[in-house]
Amino acid sequence: MKFETAAGTNPIDRQKIVGKPVDRIDGPRKTTGTATYAYEWHGQVSNMAYGQVVASAIAKGRIVSLDLSHARRAPGVITIVTADNAGPLDKGPRNNATLLGGPEIEHYHQAVALVVAETFEQACAAAELVQIKYERTSGSFDLDTAKGSAVKPEDISGNPPDTAVGDFDAVFAAAPVQLDATYTTPDQSHAMMEPHASMAAWDGDRLTLWTSNQMIDWGVQDLAKTLKMPAEHIRLVSPYIGGGFGGKLFLRADALLAALGAREAGRPVKVALSRPLIANNTTHRSATIQRIRIGATEDGRITAIGHENWSGDLNASSAESGAIYSRPMYAGANRMTQTRVAALDLAEANAMRAPSDAPGSMAVEVAMDEMAEKLGLDPVQFRILNDTQIDPEQPERSFSQRKLIECLSEGAERFGWHERVAQPGSRREGAWLIGMGMAGAFRDSPVTKSAARVRLDGNGVITVETDMTDIGTGSYVIIGQTAAEMMGVPLERVVVKLGDSSFPVSAGSGGQWGANSSTSGVYAACVKLRAAVAQKLGFDADQAVFANGEVSQGDRRVPLAEAATAGNLVEEDVIEFGELDERYRLTSFGSHFAEVAVHAHTGEVRIRRMLAVCAAGRILNPKTARSQIIGAMTMGVGAALMEELAVDKRYGFFVNHDLAGYEVPVHADIPHQEVIFLEEVDPLSSPMKARGVGELGICGVSAAVANAIYNATGVRVRDYPITLDKLLDGMPQAV
């Protein structure tokens, strides 16, 4: 597949601006506090009211009585929205949970009312006066207990739940070296900095919603279906997002209730969810139970690999399947994967950074280390020995590129892997046990349809408009770099406008498709603008060169701005990738290395150094890409050592539902992190020749830490997070 401009070449390949580590163009606004987040659009509307969510105090049952009389009489109260007066509501196609409950209750902290008042304090005080009597019924809150009744889902994000190649059972049973181990990962919270928040205002039958949402068009369509109104009557605005990690992919209660509250109050209303509601009302990553079996010859070649996965969700709606990770990662002629999902009466489980692959790598990459030890092989060499250049389960679908071996080899050399002592518990520094661990990594990087609008004005400024979002990932700057490169202007002559449903529909932020797809949409729009400029200035569109703020051909040069002296030139286009994803598997690969120190007396774990090596096509901006990887590495450390939503299995809620109880890494937990990007371009992936990195960075990290802890202590923990209580009983005798 070729991607060319009218001039017959791809200007992106010049890499005068694209591929450079330039600063984020939105950085100054964010660091000075002038970037406007969802709860801060104070200057856009007047007469603002505040909404406070009243959430269910039970996990399963029904509301017997709902007494609003005391709350209605409280100072400042304007109105109260419940299921009784909200009008007919549908359920958005991407919502497993009902966002406004009553009388039936589906999960703990399901929203059952919104109190709207003149001030935030008045809304909070009045919400405490809402009196609700419940009839509690028994629920299912424990994945281990519900595992036996789990069912096969229809699919896993478009992938089949079960796969089989060859005769796994027979070949595994005959394998001279075998591993059969079970690993568990816990429920996890996105814990993003910015809470779920929305502000809504109606103008007749038209709604404007300022919110924090990763996928603008999804939000519009889901809200339109839920409110049973035309999508073209909704404008959704979300230019700055303080983190999402998948938790803001879908319509949530804050957005719906802000819209309902504003309609009922007859004035704008803003709603933010508290931390407990973010944990128990919005989505989370489901816990998993993963059984992995590997059979190999005595020389270390895998002959059979089986991976069974159980997770849970409200109404058994979607599965978090670690089995997805094992399918393309390592060779083995005889294979089996199975995915089952149990119905749990917890809040909805859904996408969290690298869904399925993050927890899958936490199990598979530890199993590979355990198998290497059984075989007496180095873990890096065992992985290299079992690399595959084709997808073992889809051999007809080639990888666009696969440089896993290069990532493993480069990582081992740069990290000093040869200094690792293979015998666990052998290296000490005083009271500290020192160990090294590593893991491979992969994450698919699909491409999806994405559109943009570009405008040239009489000052030679290029303005880009697309509903793409920036969730802290650097969308603004890479989109700006793309337009600057294409139009031959410096980056400071480009204005980027994002996150508004009045702009063309982009790929959005999620699934590791955002950067490559959205910049490709900008590329397509710029191709049309280049052609329009060439025609306006009398150049041959096939020969015109755009550089240094000019358009040239031969000896003739004309300032770019002259094309717009009679009025702005505006072009819009969309990129579509046809059957590309069906013909090629676009996948980013990597490796992770970690060194830890574990205190021999207490079991305290300290990360000492970390390294990631990534093969992800052309890196559009090394500075922002590195930031994505080190953020993902940090998140992987959290998953390895501390992150766990603790379930009260009697009453069905997450106990540690705030940032005091749900622990995430802080600066003191994280050492220097080194990131290496292999030099490569992927001409099959897009005109940008890039792939995704944002989710690749978390895959394998937790396993690398777990393997390092084992190398330090000789204690193999298969149940994440690896807390000191799981280490102490098996620690080597302290000296």
Side-chain angles (χ1 to χ4, degrees):
M1 178 178 292
K2 293 182 179 180
F3 299 101
E4 296 181 343
T5 66
T9 59
N10 186 341
I12 299 300
D13 290 338
R14 298 180 304 186
Q15 285 198 277
K16 292 182 178 179
I17 302 173
V18 168
K20 305 303 180 186
V22 300
D23 291 345
R24 297 167 63 125
I25 59 179
D26 53 315
R29 297 201 68 181
K30 291 181 175 177
T31 54
T32 58
T34 54
T36 308
Y37 290 87
Y39 204 69
E40 300 174 339
W41 289 89
H42 312 121
Q44 298 296 310
V45 295
S46 58
N47 201 28
M48 178 66 65
Y50 294 79
Q52 177 71 4
V53 174
V54 178
S56 170
I58 65 169
K60 189 173 179 63
R62 60 183 289 109
I63 295 173
V64 175
S65 66
L66 180 61
D67 184 355
L68 306 177
S69 59
H70 297 286
R72 290 191 189 279
R73 293 194 298 269
V77 171
I78 300 166
T79 189
I80 301 176
V81 177
T82 69
D84 292 333
N85 65 350
L89 300 176
D90 206 338
K91 183 185 288 188
R94 298 175 184 86
N95 294 111
N96 296 338
T98 302
L99 298 182
L100 178 59
E104 300 299 322
I105 299 299
E106 296 178 325
H107 62 86
Y108 183 75
H109 269 179
Q110 183 176 22
V112 296
L114 181 77
V115 177
V116 180
E118 296 287 349
T119 69
F120 173 71
E121 291 79 8
Q122 289 172 334
C124 292
E128 294 293 325
L129 300 177
V130 174
Q131 297 181 357
I132 308 175
K133 292 183 179 179
Y134 301 95
E135 182 180 86
R136 191 194 306 268
T137 57
S138 60
S140 177
F141 311 121
D142 183 5
L143 176 59
D144 194 52
T145 301
K147 174 184 169 186
S149 60
V151 299
K152 181 166 73 172
E154 291 185 10
D155 63 49
I156 314 157
S157 301
N159 296 292
D162 297 354
T163 60
V165 177
D167 189 345
F168 167 77
D169 288 332
V171 175
F172 176 75
V177 184
Q178 299 176 350
L179 172 75
D180 185 345
T182 298
Y183 307 84
T184 68
T185 64
D187 296 286
Q188 295 173 347
S189 176
H190 301 83
M192 71 290 288
M193 289 180 67
E194 182 197 20
H196 290 74
S198 296
M199 189 175 90
W202 291 84
D203 182 5
D205 62 352
R206 294 182 177 272
L207 170 65
T208 299
L209 184 73
W210 296 267
T211 189
S212 191
N213 186 284
Q214 297 175 225
M215 301 289 293
I216 299 297
D217 190 57
W218 287 9
V220 169
Q221 300 302 324
D222 287 0
L223 189 57
K225 187 174 187 299
T226 303
L227 293 175
K228 299 185 176 183
M229 64 181 289
E232 57 269 23
H233 287 190
I234 297 173
R235 182 186 176 202
L236 197 153
V237 183
S238 191
Y240 299 106
I241 301 169
F245 308 118
K248 295 175 181 174
L249 287 172
F250 316 109
L251 179 71
R252 303 314 313 168
D254 61 293
L256 175 62
L257 290 176
L260 293 173
R263 187 171 65 183
E264 183 70 17
R267 56 193 280 192
V269 169
K270 62 196 312 184
V271 176
L273 300 186
S274 64
R275 285 290 164 185
L277 265 68
I278 292 173
N280 285 294
N281 177 279
T282 71
T283 60
H284 67 283
R285 194 198 298 277
S286 171
T288 70
I289 301 171
Q290 301 179 55
R291 181 190 184 193
I292 297 177
R293 286 176 283 174
I294 302 176
T297 60
E298 291 181 350
D299 65 355
R301 296 191 180 273
I302 294 174
T303 57
I305 182 167
H307 193 165
E308 298 163 88
N309 186 98
W310 293 265
S311 65
D313 190 16
L314 186 69
N315 303 319
S317 298
S318 65
E320 179 84 20
S321 179
I324 295 291
Y325 183 87
S326 66
R327 292 177 182 176
M329 191 57 179
Y330 298 111
N334 302 276
R335 318 175 66 87
M336 174 275 293
T337 68
Q338 287 188 356
T339 298
R340 297 294 180 266
V341 58
L344 296 180
D345 298 304
L346 297 171
E348 178 183 347
N350 216 309
M352 182 170 162
R353 197 173 199 169
S356 293
D357 289 335
S361 67
M362 293 169 74
V364 171
E365 295 294 336
V366 172
M368 289 293 288
D369 255 46
E370 294 199 53
M371 195 65 179
E373 185 177 44
K374 283 177 174 285
L375 291 160
L377 292 175
D378 177 84
V380 174
Q381 292 305 314
F382 179 53
R383 287 168 171 82
I384 291 175
L385 179 65
N386 288 285
D387 182 47
T388 172
Q389 291 301 304
I390 62 169
D391 184 332
E393 298 193 1
Q394 300 181 71
E396 72 286 350
R397 185 175 174 226
S398 303
F399 291 105
S400 63
Q401 286 183 344
R402 180 181 171 114
K403 293 188 177 179
L404 176 61
I405 289 178
E406 291 86 340
C407 291
L408 294 168
S409 300
E410 179 74 10
E413 181 178 350
R414 293 288 288 267
F415 199 71
W417 184 253
H418 65 280
E419 297 178 359
R420 171 182 175 268
V421 180
Q423 180 62 39
S426 299
R427 183 181 167 194
R428 290 177 179 261
E429 293 181 8
W432 294 92
L433 303 166
I434 312 301
M436 290 187 190
M438 57 78 54
F442 97 91
R443 176 69 175 163
D444 281 334
S445 301
V447 284
T448 188
K449 179 179 177 181
S450 194
R453 181 186 304 128
V454 289
R455 175 182 292 105
L456 169 66
D457 68 19
N459 295 315
V461 173
I462 305 295
T463 299
V464 184
E465 295 175 339
T466 173
D467 81 353
M468 181 61 184
T469 51
D470 191 321
I471 57 175
T473 45
S475 300
Y476 276 98
V477 69
I478 60 172
I479 284 173
Q481 288 175 271
T482 302
E485 194 82 80
M486 289 295 293
M487 300 309 300
V489 300
L491 184 57
E492 56 267 23
R493 302 295 288 172
V494 177
V495 176
V496 181
K497 298 182 178 180
L498 301 182
D500 191 322
S501 63
S502 65
F503 300 155
V505 176
S506 73
S509 296
Q512 201 168 261
W513 61 63
N516 195 17
S517 301
S518 64
T519 53
S520 295
V522 174
Y523 172 99
C526 287
V527 169
K528 287 188 71 173
L529 182 59
R530 284 165 62 103
V533 168
Q535 182 181 23
K536 193 83 170 177
L537 297 178
F539 287 99
D540 183 339
D542 291 330
Q543 301 299 322
V545 175
F546 290 70
N548 304 314
E550 297 177 327
V551 186
S552 64
Q553 183 178 338
D555 294 332
R556 182 175 174 237
R557 298 178 181 276
V558 180
L560 179 67
E562 286 194 14
T565 54
N568 292 351
L569 288 184
V570 182
E571 294 292 345
E572 182 177 325
D573 207 355
V574 60
I575 192 163
E576 299 184 74
F577 295 88
E579 298 178 352
L580 179 63
D581 265 347
E582 297 174 15
R583 296 168 54 197
Y584 298 99
R585 184 162 191 163
L586 307 179
T587 305
S588 294
F589 290 90
S591 64
H592 288 283
F593 291 79
E595 181 179 272
V596 304
V598 184
H599 199 279
H601 301 282
T602 67
E604 177 189 359
V605 177
R606 286 289 180 188
I607 311 293
R608 304 216 317 180
R609 57 193 181 101
M610 301 177 73
L611 167 69
V613 181
C614 306
R618 171 176 284 151
I619 303 303
L620 302 177
N621 184 321
K623 181 176 288 189
T624 57
R626 178 182 181 275
S627 179
Q628 282 297 287
I629 296 297
I630 65 173
M633 292 164 73
T634 301
M635 206 166 177
V637 170
L641 300 180
M642 58 192 73
E643 290 193 43
E644 176 182 15
L645 282 171
V647 182
D648 186 314
K649 297 175 182 178
R650 304 162 302 165
Y651 299 114
F653 68 97
F654 298 124
V655 179
N656 54 334
H657 50 208
D658 56 36
L659 294 182
Y662 185 83
E663 296 185 6
V664 297
V666 297
H667 282 293
D669 297 309
I670 302 300
H672 174 72
Q673 298 163 314
E674 186 178 1
V675 180
I676 298 170
F677 294 110
L678 296 187
E679 290 287 340
E680 67 167 350
V681 294
D682 190 340
L684 294 174
S685 75
S686 75
M688 307 304 294
K689 303 181 182 179
R691 293 194 303 274
V693 299
E695 295 180 302
L696 173 69
I698 194 175
C699 296
V701 175
S702 300
V705 173
N707 292 333
I709 291 172
Y710 174 73
N711 181 244
T713 66
V715 181
R716 180 67 75 183
V717 179
R718 300 188 181 97
D719 302 309
Y720 291 97
I722 305 173
T723 47
L724 59 87
D725 56 298
K726 299 172 185 175
L727 291 171
L728 284 173
D729 287 345
M731 292 281 286
Q733 185 174 356
V735 293

